[in-house]
Amino acid sequence: MEVDEAKLKACFCKALGLRPDQITGDLKYQSIQTWDSIGHMHLVFELEDAFGIMFDTDDIVNMSDVAEGRKIVLRLLQEKEKTDEHRTETT
């Protein structure tokens, strides 16, 4: 499983007011004016909504850059897939 890069970039663009070419793996929390604490929460909302996942507090705190955000989204998608498979098996 891989993270849909276009969808990931769209979330960062919408939440932080950036162009797609500005979203690089090394873009970091608080490295730009719009990625402050409020921008961070907007980003979490956009990612949760777009990917149908739910961040926990540790995920929110640990998402320190784009690369880490991608890893967290991937892990949450994998967990969601396992949960969905389990639900299907038990119904």
Side-chain angles (χ1 to χ4, degrees):
M1 172 181 285
E2 292 185 20
V3 174
D4 180 333
E5 284 296 315
K7 191 184 291 190
L8 184 77
K9 282 189 173 191
C11 291
F12 275 86
C13 289
K14 186 173 180 182
L16 304 177
L18 300 173
R19 296 182 319 270
D21 65 304
Q22 294 175 295
I23 311 300
T24 62
D26 60 350
L27 180 66
K28 296 182 181 338
Y29 175 62
Q30 295 188 336
S31 66
I32 57 171
Q33 186 175 5
T34 56
W35 198 351
D36 58 7
S37 59
I38 293 172
H40 195 71
M41 293 313 296
H42 284 266
L43 177 57
V44 168
F45 170 77
E46 292 297 334
L47 292 168
E48 287 180 337
D49 189 52
F51 289 96
I53 55 177
M54 180 79 85
F55 281 64
D56 65 22
T57 303
D58 288 338
D59 296 328
I60 294 168
V61 171
N62 291 330
M63 189 172 58
S64 56
D65 57 34
V66 174
E68 190 61 32
R70 182 182 296 106
K71 289 178 191 174
I72 291 169
V73 168
L74 178 59
R75 180 180 51 78
L76 294 173
L77 286 171
Q78 290 169 335
E79 290 173 3
K80 179 182 175 199
E81 186 176 83
K82 286 179 187 175
T83 300
D84 291 348
E85 286 174 3
H86 178 71
R87 283 187 191 143
T88 303
E89 290 171 3
T90 59
T91 56

